[in-house]
């Protein structure tokens, strides 16, 4: 209920018109009006009082503001808008203090999360005001890794790429990066010493032109050991460019994660051929890549020739039970695959029988696969039970 203001001089009331109620901590005032009022000040300005009536009205004194408000039935104070907060600007000193909270000496790992920033600063992130301080801090400190999450980059691209040149690890998640960023990244390839590149997020859309700039720069420097690009809207043709880099005998690439990209069986074929020819990759993550039955058959064909592969993730690819059985049947002792994840695909009783023989013969250890078997008298054989570690 909106406040109602009145004009009266408190001195016009007689002393007998004002009483103190100790139990309810109220001041009782006799007035002619029949409406109760809530007073939020010790100095009362109330309208045209008359002492002819005997009704008692209630006033509460809670602060030193000269506001008089009409009380509602529930005795709830009227809403008062808080004063506007002053704008808190980001600074290099503030970023340095934050780094001392999440990092350890010698403070070489920097990260900036937009949602975490907005929660602590109690305001929105402004790219034109806040991003320059992030770039200045990255240039000012001697860092080895950077993790940036959840904001758009469209200004100071030259300084941003220059700040990334001496880093060993670059992690960009939920970022919106323009094509010019990848062009500048390619032009400064001789000064870049990155070993781990992680790009992830639905807002980070890498088309074939962008991935060509990125991978070409990696081929020239040939120091990259890990690539993680999840949810980057890759297609099969983009895997051909990455496979070209992997196929070199002198490639240092050990880990590749392209999960949640619709590369399909054709994209998986490019990667599997490159792994067989190079013999350097140890970790491959194809989780949620839409491989299907054909992709599962290709994995069954090439997995026995991937001698250096130690980790393979093909979860949630809608692979049929027949293709899963082919993958399991190609495994022979001794096997160098330390971890095989097949959760989220299709299985049948034959899959359970094959897996039971592999586990019993010691070809696969239970810790190396995310499937197990149990006897079920309702089906002719063993039932496959997937589990996630």
């Amino acid at each position: 209920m909106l406040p109602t203001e009145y004009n009266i001089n408190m001195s016009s009331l007689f002393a007998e018109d004002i009483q103190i109620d100790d139990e309810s901590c109220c001041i009782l005032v006799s007035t002619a009006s029949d409406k109760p009022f809530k007073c939020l000040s010790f100095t009362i300005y109330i309208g045209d009082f008359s002492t002819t009536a005997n009704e008692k009205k209630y006033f509460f004194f809670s602060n030193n503001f000269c506001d008089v408000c009409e009380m509602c039935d529930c005795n709830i104070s009227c809403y008062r808008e808080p004063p506007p907060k002053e704008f808190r600007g980001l600074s290099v000193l503030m970023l340095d203090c934050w780094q001392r909270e999440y990092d350890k000496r010698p403070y070489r790992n920097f990260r900036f999360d937009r949602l975490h920033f907005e929660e602590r600063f109690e305001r929105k992130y402004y790219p034109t005001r806040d991003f320059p301080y992030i770039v200045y801090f990255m240039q000012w400190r001697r860092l080895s890794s950077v993790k940036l999450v959840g904001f758009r980059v469209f200004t100071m691209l030259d300084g941003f790429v220059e700040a990334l040149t001496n880093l060993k690890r670059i992690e960009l998640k939920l970022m919106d990066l323009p094509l010019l960023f990848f062009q500048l990244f390619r032009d400064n390839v001789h000064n870049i010493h990155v070993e781990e590149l992680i790009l992830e997020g639905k807002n980070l859309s890498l088309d074939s032109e962008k991935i060509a700039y990125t991978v070409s720069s990696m081929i020239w420097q040939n120091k990259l050991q890990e690539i993680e690009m999840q949810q980057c809207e890759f297609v099969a043709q983009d895997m051909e460019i990455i496979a070209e880099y992997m196929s070199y005998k002198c490639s240092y690439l050990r880990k590749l994660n392209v999960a949640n990209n619709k590369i399909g069986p054709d994209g998986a074929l490019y990667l599997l051929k490159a792994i067989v020819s190079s013999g350097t990759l140890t970790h491959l993550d194809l989780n949620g890549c839409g491989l299907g039955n054909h992709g599962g058959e290709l994995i069954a064909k090439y997995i026995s020739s991937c001698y250096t592969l130690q980790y393979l993730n093909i979860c949630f690819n809608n692979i049929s039970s027949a293709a899963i059985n082919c993958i399991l049947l190609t495994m022979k002792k001794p096997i160098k695959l330390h971890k095989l994840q097949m959760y989220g695909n299709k299985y049948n009783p034959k899959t359970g029988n094959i897996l039971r023989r592999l586990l019993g013969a010691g070809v696969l250890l239970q810790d190396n696969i995310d499937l197990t078997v149990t006897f079920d008298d309702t089906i002719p054989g063993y039932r496959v039970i997937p589990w996630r570690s």
Side-chain angles (χ1 to χ4, degrees):
M1 189 175 297
L2 295 176
T4 305
E5 297 183 358
Y6 300 87
N7 297 319
I8 191 174
N9 190 351
M10 192 68 179
S11 61
S12 64
L13 296 176
F14 296 100
E16 57 268 24
D17 299 327
I18 304 177
Q19 301 177 12
I20 305 296
D21 189 350
D22 296 331
E23 295 182 0
S24 60
C25 299
C26 299
I27 295 180
L28 308 181
V29 183
S30 298
T31 68
S33 175
D34 58 351
K35 292 184 178 180
F37 299 94
K38 180 179 179 182
C39 179
L40 302 178
S41 72
F42 190 79
T43 304
I44 307 178
Y45 298 93
I46 307 178
D48 194 13
F49 266 78
S50 174
T51 58
T52 59
N54 293 323
E55 292 117 354
K56 294 181 179 180
K57 302 303 167 192
Y58 297 83
F59 295 89
F60 299 88
F61 305 99
S62 59
N63 56 27
N64 293 325
F65 294 97
C66 297
D67 296 331
V68 180
C69 304
E70 185 176 356
M71 291 178 58
C72 58
D73 297 335
C74 299
N75 193 20
I76 301 176
S77 60
C78 298
Y79 173 74
R80 294 176 59 84
E81 293 185 0
K85 296 182 180 180
E86 296 182 358
F87 180 82
R88 296 182 59 189
L90 188 62
S91 63
V92 175
L93 179 61
M94 181 62 69
L95 294 175
D96 185 66
C97 294
W98 282 359
Q99 187 182 19
R100 296 176 185 274
E101 294 180 5
Y102 58 78
D103 199 8
K104 298 180 180 180
R105 291 182 181 276
Y107 306 113
R108 298 293 179 84
N109 305 307
F110 171 69
R111 65 171 182 253
F112 183 87
D113 191 332
R114 180 181 61 84
L115 295 179
H116 179 67
F117 164 80
E118 292 179 350
E119 180 180 355
R120 296 192 62 169
F121 258 58
E122 297 182 353
R123 69 169 178 86
K124 292 184 178 181
Y125 167 80
Y126 294 101
T128 56
R129 293 186 179 183
D130 300 326
F131 185 67
Y133 290 102
I134 298 175
V135 175
Y136 294 153
F137 181 82
M138 293 171 56
Q139 294 176 343
W140 173 57
R141 294 297 299 268
R142 297 180 60 183
L143 303 174
S144 60
S145 69
V146 165
K147 178 181 179 181
L148 304 178
V149 183
F151 59 92
R152 181 186 178 191
V153 177
F154 59 91
T155 60
M156 298 186 64
L157 292 175
D158 293 332
F160 182 48
V161 173
E162 182 181 355
L164 299 176
T165 53
N166 295 322
L167 299 177
K168 299 293 185 181
R169 176 186 174 92
I170 300 175
E171 186 172 355
L172 306 176
K173 294 187 175 182
L174 298 173
M175 301 287 290
D176 188 359
L177 302 173
L179 178 60
L180 181 59
F181 167 79
F182 296 95
Q183 294 175 346
L184 295 174
F185 196 83
R186 179 203 57 182
D187 296 338
N188 291 271
V189 63
H190 298 291
N191 299 324
I192 295 176
H193 305 284
V194 61
E195 297 179 358
E196 298 180 19
L197 177 63
I198 301 176
L199 304 177
E200 179 181 347
K202 295 182 179 179
N203 294 335
L204 177 61
S205 177
L206 294 178
D207 53 19
S208 299
E209 189 175 6
K210 290 182 181 180
I211 195 61
Y213 285 123
T214 305
V215 177
S216 62
S217 63
M218 292 186 291
I219 292 175
W220 279 103
Q221 63 152 340
N222 198 24
K223 295 180 180 179
L224 201 61
Q225 299 180 8
E226 180 179 349
I227 303 177
E228 183 176 340
M229 299 181 180
Q230 302 186 44
Q231 297 180 346
C232 294
E233 301 181 9
F234 283 155
V235 294
Q237 289 73 16
D238 300 326
M239 296 301 101
E240 184 179 5
I241 303 174
I242 297 179
E244 181 182 357
Y245 169 62
M246 292 170 51
S247 60
Y248 286 99
K249 295 290 184 181
C250 58
S251 173
Y252 287 95
L253 188 62
R254 298 294 180 267
K255 298 180 181 181
L256 176 63
N257 186 347
V258 290
N260 300 312
N261 294 284
K262 300 303 179 182
I263 62 174
D266 295 335
L269 180 60
Y270 289 127
L271 299 178
L272 292 172
K273 287 183 177 181
I275 295 173
V276 172
S277 61
S278 63
T280 58
L281 197 73
T282 60
H283 289 67
L284 179 61
D285 194 336
L286 299 176
N287 179 19
C289 291
L291 302 183
N293 300 336
H294 184 48
E297 294 172 357
L298 291 174
I299 292 176
K301 178 181 178 181
Y302 286 95
I303 191 173
S304 58
S305 302
C306 300
Y307 301 108
T308 60
L309 197 62
Q310 300 178 5
Y311 173 86
L312 177 62
N313 187 343
I314 54 174
C315 296
F316 300 104
N317 278 286
N318 195 26
I319 302 177
S320 64
S321 57
I324 293 292
N325 296 339
C326 291
I327 295 175
L328 295 176
L329 288 173
T330 56
M331 296 182 181
K332 299 179 181 180
K333 191 176 182 179
I335 185 174
K336 295 185 178 180
L337 200 62
H338 296 166
K339 191 67 176 180
L340 176 61
Q341 293 183 320
M342 309 174 70
Y343 189 95
N345 296 294
K346 299 177 181 179
Y347 323 101
N348 58 13
K350 185 178 180 180
T351 308
N353 295 330
I354 297 173
L355 184 58
R356 177 176 173 270
R357 291 198 300 268
L358 292 176
L359 294 174
V363 177
L364 274 177
L365 300 178
Q366 186 61 73
D367 294 337
N368 299 140
I369 190 169
D370 59 351
L371 303 178
T372 188
V373 295
T374 184
F375 179 75
D376 191 347
D377 54 2
T378 61
I379 60 175
Y382 287 81
R383 182 182 296 275
V384 176
I385 301 177
W387 57 277
R388 305 190 70 177
S389 57

